[in-house]
Amino acid sequence: MEIDNLCMNCFEQLKSGSVCQACSYDNDTVVDTMYIQPKTILNERYVVGTVIEHVSDSCVYNGYDTQLDTVVEIREFLPKGIANRLEGNKDVHVRERYRASFENYKQSFLKLWRTIIKMRGYSAVIPTYDVFEENGTAYAVCDKIRSMTLREFLLRSPDGNILWEQARIMFMPVLTTLEALHSNGIIHGSITPDNLLLCPDGKVRLKGFSIAEANNISSDLEFNANEGYTALEQYDNKHKMCPATDIYAFSACIFRALVGQNPPDSKLRETNDKLMIPNTIAENIPTYVIKALGGGLQIYPERRTQSVNDFREQLNASPNVVVANAPEKDAQEEKKQTPENKESEYQDYLRAQQKKKKSNAPKIIIAVLVVLIAVAAVAGVLIVRNGGLLNQDETTTTPVSVATYTVPDFTSQGYTQSDIQNNGTWNKQFKITFNSDYSKDVEEGIVFKQSIQQGETVDEGTEIILTVSKGVKTEIIPDVGGLTEKEARETLEKLGFTVTTVEIYNDDNHTEGTVKASYGVAPAVGEEVAVGEEVIIQVYGEVVTTTEPSTEAETVEQTTE
């Protein structure tokens, strides 16, 4: 197929010029040379397009399968900090010190994605159908599925959370897939509301797979903690990752869906283990579900619910739980279901709901909201307003007054960006955006500035810019040995350090006013130091001589020579 006139972002035909009329991507955009360049063909079949994301162990590209004539996602094993690509070279360049590690990690990547290929029949797995090696690295090719993340869905929900009846339909089928992953030796390690995808066909799928070495802090690979969802054992080598690691994260996702906020981070819970659920919300959550979440969210993995099967049984504890108005299957019977039956559970539920009388319409809306919202996001023909779904074409001649809200205090409660992003009420009331800055007083990741002060009354949708602390800014102490005092001072002050000069003895072997070359700076050259800290430089003073040279000393010196 001719690819010269294809957009490398959406793979629609370009009608004129380089800017795609379908997705607005400018195909003349320069792509970083560390990535595969657009229009590169892999495995004599796949066309590489734009970069979607570069995560810890791999880079994900938009791609096009010329044999199946379909858009795909191509995942390239390209671990951050270990491998890159030199300009003009397709082969991956591996840093010398990581060559052995790279090969081991690549084998883990191949094993992971070959296992996932075998699990195409499970509803919560994004279909993967090719794994191969090329360019000194490895690749996996997956279907590209239109979807909405669970986090976005919850933010669009009127109250920022949902009821267990709806959550159960969404979450329970995923457990079958999760159990199969564990039986095949795969720990996902990064289950979050951003990695659970709500698809137009009603299925909830898992994304964000990476090799096990990328999911704990002790590895050479970049580790990205997900506040509220990362289990303690991923931070702490004293505990080992296991199926209970995923149960913790999955429980946290259910907690977020039902309560409307993230559970506290596991590291914080070690010293203050409190999971607060407001009474008004708790009264709508079945007791057995709260108990199941308590078991799944235990801090230490050895105390946590150990298997998906046990967790499923706990979530199904009530005899009143029903699916599509039919008696609940017991846990063992559900476990025996085929992947195809599990995939159809959601559709069965929807068909049953459609047979209800008109008086039950509100329940139908709740049951199918996941499908409607996902389709709305993809098709762009529906919008969420005041808790309901309205067609964009609908208009009204009745003047609508703009709601106003009081700006809350975002800065003194220790909120993180994740806390605020996952608060459905705030995101409905305001347009909240984030930037970041260094702060010597506020811990990294904490919001410490807001563009509109608390207590002010603003219109709905007003933008509030929140500043997240990047922590204390640090710089590496440069080598200023041999420079003049002025040059050294300017170099250090430019980096933000304060400079103190100490004059040292000069035995006529050094230039007056220059910095001592060896160990002449404190803190030492190469150390990472907080900006604003004092740096002491040792500078040679005037040459010291005596007024009456010693003849005896000169004689001894000459004899020695």
Side-chain angles (χ1 to χ4, degrees):
M1 179 179 179
E2 180 60 46
I3 65 172
D4 287 340
N5 292 323
L6 288 181
C7 171
M8 288 295 106
N9 188 58
C10 68
F11 294 94
E12 293 291 332
Q13 287 285 340
L14 294 174
K15 296 181 179 180
S16 63
S18 63
V19 178
C20 177
Q21 294 185 354
C23 70
S24 301
Y25 176 73
D26 186 349
N27 284 265
D28 285 340
T29 301
V30 177
V31 176
D32 193 314
T33 55
M34 78 172 293
Y35 302 119
I36 302 177
Q37 295 303 293
K39 298 186 179 180
T40 300
I41 306 295
L42 295 178
N43 205 27
E44 300 181 349
R45 174 175 179 176
Y46 306 107
V47 182
V48 177
T50 53
V51 173
I52 298 174
E53 61 178 348
H54 191 182
V55 294
S56 176
D57 71 339
S58 54
C59 179
V60 184
Y61 303 86
N62 284 308
Y64 183 76
D65 185 341
T66 58
Q67 290 186 15
L68 297 181
D69 189 24
T70 187
V71 178
V72 295
E73 285 190 1
I74 302 170
R75 182 176 292 266
E76 177 184 44
F77 180 62
L78 191 69
K80 286 186 174 181
I82 291 179
N84 57 14
R85 185 175 274 104
L86 304 180
E87 185 173 359
N89 196 334
K90 292 182 182 179
D91 286 351
V92 167
H93 173 74
V94 182
R95 295 172 60 188
E96 186 64 36
R97 61 177 292 194
Y98 293 113
R99 288 190 181 277
S101 297
F102 178 86
E103 288 302 320
N104 291 333
Y105 294 153
K106 185 175 74 172
Q107 293 306 312
S108 295
F109 179 91
L110 290 166
K111 180 180 178 181
L112 168 66
W113 290 99
R114 285 169 179 162
T115 302
I116 292 176
I117 282 181
K118 299 175 183 177
M119 300 181 63
R120 286 174 59 91
Y122 287 87
S123 66
V125 171
I126 296 176
T128 301
Y129 57 86
D130 201 1
V131 175
F132 57 92
E133 295 184 62
E134 194 171 333
N135 301 330
T137 188
Y139 298 87
V141 181
C142 312
D143 284 348
K144 188 172 182 66
I145 297 178
R146 298 182 301 171
S147 60
M148 172 189 288
T149 67
L150 174 64
R151 185 180 75 83
E152 184 179 357
F153 167 72
L154 293 172
L155 291 176
R156 287 171 177 257
S157 300
D159 298 316
N161 65 304
I162 56 178
L163 299 175
W164 170 241
E165 178 185 359
Q166 184 183 0
R168 184 184 183 282
I169 301 298
M170 296 164 58
F171 285 107
M172 294 303 284
V174 181
L175 287 175
T176 300
T177 299
L178 197 58
E179 186 173 32
L181 288 169
H182 293 168
S183 67
N184 282 279
I186 296 175
I187 306 300
H188 187 285
S190 187
I191 300 175
T192 70
D194 287 311
N195 283 334
L196 286 168
L197 303 180
L198 281 60
C199 305
D201 61 3
K203 297 175 184 177
V204 178
R205 289 182 167 90
L206 265 173
K207 75 162 190 171
F209 286 94
S210 57
I211 63 175
E213 293 88 343
N215 288 321
N216 67 81
I217 202 167
S218 63
S219 169
D220 292 330
L221 299 177
E222 179 183 79
F223 171 66
N224 296 316
N226 297 294
E227 187 174 338
Y229 301 92
T230 298
L232 183 67
E233 57 268 26
Q234 295 175 265
Y235 293 113
D236 189 344
N237 293 331
K238 291 183 294 184
H239 305 278
K240 186 178 180 181
M241 287 180 60
C242 58
T245 303
D246 283 342
I247 291 173
Y248 183 93
F250 197 75
S251 299
C253 289
I254 298 177
F255 183 95
R256 165 67 185 91
L258 299 180
V259 179
Q261 62 187 28
N262 295 339
D265 192 69
S266 58
K267 291 193 298 182
L268 299 177
R269 291 181 59 211
E270 261 201 303
T271 55
N272 183 20
D273 188 11
K274 291 183 180 179
L275 287 174
M276 305 299 293
I277 303 178
N279 289 334
T280 54
I281 293 177
E283 64 187 15
N284 292 318
I285 304 176
T287 303
Y288 63 89
V289 173
I290 294 177
K291 183 177 179 181
L293 294 180
L297 287 169
Q298 286 291 314
I299 293 295
Y300 300 108
E302 59 270 19
R303 299 179 185 176
R304 204 177 300 149
T305 303
Q306 294 296 299
S307 72
V308 170
N309 184 58
D310 290 345
F311 187 56
R312 180 195 291 110
E313 288 183 347
Q314 293 167 11
L315 289 173
N316 280 336
S318 172
N320 297 322
V321 176
V322 296
V323 177
N325 292 336
E328 170 68 12
K329 300 177 178 64
D330 64 34
Q332 293 300 321
E333 184 179 354
E334 182 179 19
K335 183 178 179 181
K336 294 176 183 178
Q337 285 185 297
T338 66
E340 291 76 13
N341 288 338
K342 290 299 294 180
E343 290 176 8
S344 67
E345 179 183 47
Y346 195 77
Q347 287 77 5
D348 291 342
Y349 178 82
L350 299 182
R351 285 193 290 270
Q353 291 293 326
Q354 290 170 354
K355 295 178 181 179
K356 287 188 176 182
K357 295 180 181 180
K358 190 174 182 180
S359 60
N360 287 332
K363 294 182 180 179
I364 297 177
I365 292 174
I366 293 175
V368 301
L369 186 57
V370 59
V371 176
L372 293 179
I373 291 290
V375 173
V378 173
V381 297
L382 297 174
I383 59 172
V384 177
R385 185 177 297 167
N386 296 330
L389 295 173
L390 299 177
N391 192 288
Q392 285 184 332
D393 294 330
E394 291 182 356
T395 58
T396 177
T397 57
T398 305
V400 179
S401 59
V402 179
T404 59
Y405 297 97
T406 301
V407 176
D409 178 9
F410 292 109
T411 61
S412 63
Q413 304 300 315
Y415 292 128
T416 65
Q417 180 172 337
S418 178
D419 291 334
I420 295 168
Q421 285 179 325
N422 285 286
N423 187 298
T425 301
W426 287 341
N427 284 275
K428 179 182 176 183
Q429 293 172 349
F430 314 105
K431 178 184 178 183
I432 300 177
T433 57
F434 297 86
N435 59 25
S436 58
D437 199 1
Y438 292 102
S439 171
K440 64 179 182 178
D441 302 315
V442 180
E443 181 184 353
E444 182 179 358
I446 303 299
V447 174
F448 71 103
K449 290 181 184 177
Q450 56 188 83
S451 61
I452 301 177
Q453 296 304 309
Q454 72 170 106
E456 291 192 26
T457 300
V458 299
D459 292 341
E460 180 178 1
T462 297
E463 181 179 29
I464 300 176
I465 303 171
L466 302 181
T467 303
V468 181
S469 173
K470 294 166 67 174
V472 178
K473 184 177 182 181
T474 60
E475 293 286 354
I476 303 297
I477 300 292
D479 185 358
V480 294
L483 299 182
T484 66
E485 178 186 354
K486 180 181 178 182
E487 291 170 338
R489 181 179 293 276
E490 289 177 348
T491 299
L492 292 166
E493 288 180 345
K494 187 175 181 180
L495 294 174
F497 300 115
T498 58
V499 180
T500 299
T501 300
V502 175
E503 187 174 299
I504 58 174
Y505 173 76
N506 189 347
D507 61 0
D508 198 19
N509 288 321
H510 305 281
T511 303
E512 178 184 342
T514 60
V515 178
K516 182 182 177 183
S518 299
Y519 306 104
V521 182
V525 172
E527 285 192 26
E528 187 174 1
V529 178
V531 169
E533 291 292 315
E534 180 185 40
V535 176
I536 299 172
I537 57 175
Q538 300 179 56
V539 178
Y540 290 109
E542 295 181 10
V543 177
V544 177
T545 60
T546 58
T547 56
E548 296 181 2
S550 170
T551 303
E552 181 181 354
E554 290 177 359
T555 303
V556 172
E557 184 178 356
Q558 291 170 0
T559 303
T560 301
E561 291 177 354

